[in-house]
Amino acid sequence: MIFLVAALLLLGVVLGSVAHLPGPVSLAAAAAIAAWLAVFAVRERRGRHRRHQREGV
């Protein structure tokens, strides 16, 4: 429950700050965050895949 409250509070802060930024700046920040998340997901998937290969699963 506390995690949900913290997530909603963080979402409110982020949306509030984005509302005061110009559109192109918000889009550039969103693209940078999306790219970072994509790189993170690929690295996690590769790491998990390699770990399973070493274990023989």
Side-chain angles (χ1 to χ4, degrees):
M1 183 69 183
I2 295 254
F3 176 75
L4 181 60
V5 171
L8 289 173
L9 180 66
L10 183 63
L11 180 65
V13 169
V14 169
L15 288 177
S17 63
V18 167
H20 297 287
L21 291 174
V25 174
S26 297
L27 289 175
I33 292 169
W36 177 67
L37 288 173
V39 168
F40 178 78
V42 168
R43 289 182 66 192
E44 283 294 312
R45 181 170 283 240
R46 283 187 180 171
R48 187 172 297 138
H49 183 66
R50 287 183 186 153
R51 197 175 321 128
H52 284 286
Q53 281 182 340
R54 274 187 262 147
E55 294 172 355
V57 175

